[in-house]
Amino acid sequence: MRKRCAPRVAIVVALYAVASAQTPSPSQSAPGVSPPPAASPSPSPAATPNALASPTLTPPPILVTPATALVPVGSSLDLTVGSAISPLSATIGDPNVANVAVDQAAQRVTVIGKAPGVTVVTITDARGLHRDVPVRVAYYAGTIPDHLSLSLTGDPASAEFVREQVAQAIRAAAQLRPGGQIVVSSDDVPVRRALAQDDVASFDVPALIQGNNLIEVDRSAHVDVQNVAVPRISPDSLMVSDYPERLVEDGTLFTADLRSEQPSRFLYFHYNPRGQPDRRIVLRADNPSREPSIVQFISGRGGPSSNEMEVGHTATKRFLINVVQNQGRLLTLPAGSTTTVVTQELPAGTIACNLLQLRVLSGASVHLTLVAQNADEKPDAVVAGSELLEGSHPHARGIYPIAEFHF
């Protein structure tokens, strides 16, 4: 049995060897049969575009503080530059409005205002980046006085009277640009009690000056107030300026001397018709002597208002209250000077009235002049000509005696 099986096993082994020798290798292909596609090799990291490339970085923009520039004419403003690479350059859009200067070490650009207007400053750094800064150059709306000294009279001077006089004094002392308006309220004057004779007070009062195309001025004025004890008076004459009652031009309304030995009252009443330019009533005192004069005046103004009866009633009421308490102002008129005693606005279509009591406490006589001027002019503007204005309807103008009476 074993001998018969051995040849058969040998034959099977031989046939398997032949079959294995005839099987094609993977690199060979049978006739008419396409070889299978070769597998694509896995891409290497370096072969994949942008696979590990760094993202594109945006350079930081130039920063400027402040972002916009408001520069007074004749002054300068510094712009601080940040996130920039030196050297810096700066150009101005309109050299007629402003100039610029660059401080490389401090990375600072200075803008110098030359004339009112708007322009742009362009700041560029070493990277070629730039930043535009809007610039506006303008005048200050005016100036507010740092310090005021105010001499009042009153037995006593009420808190309301002190507040009103302080607010009026700040308005009168402020210097305004054309188009500028001052805002100062008597409510902001920190006086809440009457000021007795020979008493003093000091405080700060906030004020604001503003106007279109002007730089706002916001600050406080320091005010010293003194209540000076002076005797009461009984004037024996009344100066009246009620002609022309309707104003159709600017000019001198009234003029007279206020003598040191002759105290007087002064009444003016004038109407600025509709269609006329806005005006202002101004009372001035001239001291032609070589020594100063001290003048006390008590005032009760009414208006401006379109209501004739209201204007007269308000002026009379205020005057009577002030004259009974001897509440007034003391003005020192330097030698050879002109001082504005009263200014009162008179817009078109309104009436202005004032009743005053005046006397020279010390020094020589002074000359009083009442004028009507355009509201755009300064109160101390010189009046052309010395002729008194005339009107078509007769009204009172002159000096009249006052009968003595008691109340």
Side-chain angles (χ1 to χ4, degrees):
M1 291 291 298
R2 292 178 179 175
K3 291 181 180 180
R4 292 177 62 182
C5 292
R8 184 179 298 178
V9 170
I11 293 171
V12 172
V13 171
L15 290 175
Y16 178 80
V18 173
S20 299
Q22 292 178 350
T23 301
S25 66
S27 60
Q28 299 174 344
S29 59
V33 179
S34 300
S40 300
S42 299
S44 63
T48 304
N50 299 328
L52 297 179
S54 300
T56 302
L57 298 178
T58 301
I62 298 175
L63 301 178
V64 180
T65 304
T68 61
L70 178 58
V71 187
V73 174
S75 298
S76 62
L77 177 70
D78 290 335
L79 303 176
T80 302
V81 182
S83 297
I85 299 178
S86 295
L88 303 177
S89 66
T91 57
I92 189 75
D94 188 349
N96 294 320
V97 173
N99 284 334
V100 290
V102 180
D103 185 337
Q104 299 289 351
Q107 286 203 328
R108 182 171 60 236
V109 175
T110 301
V111 183
I112 304 98
K114 295 175 60 178
V118 294
T119 186
V120 174
V121 171
T122 301
I123 301 174
T124 307
D125 72 352
R127 300 168 297 175
L129 298 181
H130 67 272
R131 180 65 177 267
D132 290 337
V133 180
V135 175
R136 183 165 75 91
V137 179
Y139 286 107
Y140 281 114
T143 57
I144 297 170
D146 294 326
H147 179 265
L148 282 177
S149 293
L150 199 62
S151 295
L152 304 178
T153 65
D155 188 18
S158 69
E160 180 182 7
F161 175 77
V162 174
R163 290 195 298 267
E164 290 178 351
Q165 294 301 312
V166 169
Q168 290 179 16
I170 295 176
R171 295 188 195 102
Q175 300 293 322
L176 306 181
R177 276 273 173 187
Q181 296 179 335
I182 183 169
V183 179
V184 54
S185 173
S186 59
D187 293 336
D188 292 329
V189 181
V191 176
R192 298 295 178 262
R193 62 176 180 83
L195 194 66
Q197 289 183 332
D198 296 325
D199 201 356
V200 296
S202 297
F203 40 78
D204 293 329
V205 180
L208 171 70
I209 304 179
Q210 57 189 1
N212 292 333
N213 300 319
L214 296 172
I215 299 177
E216 184 178 285
V217 178
D218 187 358
R219 59 176 303 172
S220 294
H222 185 77
V223 183
D224 296 326
V225 180
Q226 180 183 14
N227 185 354
V228 182
V230 298
R232 299 173 184 272
I233 59 171
S234 297
D236 57 2
S237 65
L238 173 65
M239 303 176 182
V240 177
S241 177
D242 191 26
Y243 178 77
E245 188 177 86
R246 295 173 60 90
L247 300 178
V248 294
E249 59 181 323
D250 300 336
T252 303
L253 299 169
F254 182 88
T255 181
D257 288 331
L258 178 65
R259 303 187 182 278
S260 57
E261 69 277 6
Q262 294 179 348
S264 182
R265 287 180 181 169
F266 189 5
L267 168 67
Y268 66 75
F269 187 96
H270 294 284
Y271 170 55
N272 191 20
R274 296 185 183 277
Q276 290 289 315
D278 291 345
R279 290 191 166 93
R280 181 188 300 116
I281 301 295
V282 180
L283 177 62
R284 299 169 180 159
D286 299 297
N287 179 16
S289 70
R290 297 182 179 180
E291 61 181 53
S293 296
I294 299 178
V295 175
Q296 180 201 22
F297 74 94
I298 297 172
S299 173
R301 67 173 64 194
S305 171
S306 59
N307 189 323
E308 179 178 356
M309 299 300 293
E310 179 187 14
V311 169
H313 173 73
T314 301
T316 303
K317 180 181 68 173
R318 288 177 175 172
F319 175 76
L320 291 176
I321 292 174
N322 290 336
V323 78
V324 166
Q325 291 189 227
N326 201 28
Q327 295 183 142
R329 285 277 306 275
L330 292 181
L331 290 180
T332 299
L333 282 57
S337 69
T338 299
T339 301
T340 299
V341 179
V342 173
T343 60
Q344 190 170 6
E345 300 302 318
L346 187 59
T350 65
I351 300 166
C353 175
N354 203 343
L355 182 58
L356 303 103
Q357 186 163 281
L358 305 106
R359 63 168 166 172
V360 178
L361 288 175
S362 67
S365 301
V366 300
H367 187 72
L368 301 176
T369 303
L370 188 74
V371 301
Q373 64 174 195
N374 192 288
D376 292 335
E377 296 182 1
K378 293 184 178 180
D380 57 356
V382 178
V383 179
S386 58
E387 298 295 327
L388 296 179
L389 294 179
E390 300 291 335
S392 57
H393 301 282
H395 286 274
R397 178 164 67 189
I399 302 176
Y400 305 90
I402 296 178
E404 184 178 354
F405 69 97
H406 303 277
F407 61 91

